[in-house]
Amino acid sequence: MTAAQVRPLSEELQKAAIDLLGEVPSRIPDDLAQLKQWIAQQPHLKANTDDQFLLAFLRGCKYSLEKTKSKIDKFFTLKSKFPEMFNVTDVKDPRFREILKLGMFMYLPEPLNGNGPRICIMRSSLYPPEKYTMEEVMAVSHAMQEIALLEDDYANIHGIIFIGDFGKATMAHMFQWTPSLMKKATVFSEEAIPLRPKASHFINTPSGFEPIFNMVKPMLSAKQQSRLFVHGNKLDSLTKEIPLKYLPKEYGGENSSVDEMMQEWEKKMDQYAEYFKKNAEYGTDEKLRPGKAIDFNSMFGIEGSFRKLDVD
């Protein structure tokens, strides 16, 4: 069996992968070989088969091969069906860079407690809604998420804690969150991306937040619903869960600053430009899918109506 082309983990992270995910390091080459064989047998699926990429899916599914196959299929299916949100191919596009520089999404350099989940702050209301669509904003978020999937061992093994800061949200921002768009985002998050959300905290929530929150919540699995926390304007309520030192300087913490992080992400996007170009080669063709093609209209509904999907 050929050795897997994957990054070695620190001793601490390797122990966590074994304890939390059931990882058996000696079995990784065989698991990857099985996945590649399955992908090669799917006439409708053209997927990235790099070892590190596939390993992220195995870890995100705690080494259940069936769940991993399902997640890979959904990942590329949703990229093909909704490329404007999920399938970035040009990270040098000027509009993409303008949105990135607004600093709406930040993966903080120090994980929680120094060796736990990655912390991601989403300030997704910092953009002018008359200039950009929510799909364009989400595309930047998903490109960053894909980079985390490829290179962030803390995120892959311990998961991600999200903090949503709605301090600058207006009704114009809220109106861009259509039910159809929310459904796409929640399905991609739960069924396609292998990064496990450990908790979602919402701060500085405006008066229009509650109806949207109440609309999104039923779309999530019971497990994810139990991991949602609304703190209103009380930062001290948040810091009971996430000590202040693990927040950025702008929030009174010690975990880097928005400017420093955005400079890093500008460099990262340059480094990954060729990787994202290759995304154009991957995807699914529903006409070639064995068995029944996916009925996207019944899954996501005509604009404004949708059905709840069965989610693990």
Side-chain angles (χ1 to χ4, degrees), residues 67-171:
K67 278 189 183 170
T68 304
K69 290 172 189 176
S70 172
K71 217 154 228 205
I72 289 170
D73 196 336
K74 278 268 169 58
F75 184 81
F76 288 104
T77 299
L78 292 177
K79 275 176 170 283
S80 291
K81 182 64 181 172
F82 307 114
E84 68 286 352
M85 267 179 85
F86 303 126
N87 201 33
V88 173
T89 55
D90 181 8
V91 294
K92 295 197 170 181
D93 173 75
R95 282 176 74 83
F96 180 95
R97 286 301 175 107
E98 284 167 19
I99 294 168
L100 177 71
K101 285 178 190 170
L102 291 172
M104 289 190 278
F105 308 100
M106 299 175 287
Y107 287 81
L108 308 189
E110 181 84 0
L112 185 63
N113 302 322
N115 61 355
R118 181 67 61 198
I119 303 164
C120 175
I121 295 186
M122 302 177 292
R123 306 181 299 164
S124 53
S125 307
L126 294 184
Y127 69 101
E130 69 282 359
K131 186 173 182 184
Y132 305 110
T133 66
M134 181 51 79
E135 282 88 349
E136 288 178 294
V137 171
M138 295 303 291
V140 174
S141 163
H142 287 299
M144 295 174 80
Q145 203 173 33
E146 198 161 332
I147 290 174
L149 181 161
L150 293 164
E151 68 171 35
D152 188 341
D153 293 323
Y154 288 99
N156 278 289
I157 289 160
H158 287 291
I160 297 183
I161 291 172
F162 291 101
I163 300 171
D165 183 347
F166 290 85
K168 304 275 183 172
T170 65
M171 289 316 291

Side-chain angles (χ1 to χ4, degrees), residues 24-39:
V24 180
S26 62
R27 213 173 60 204
I28 287 173
D30 188 49
D31 287 337
L32 290 171
Q34 283 189 61
L35 263 189
K36 288 177 192 177
Q37 184 181 18
W38 172 78
I39 289 166

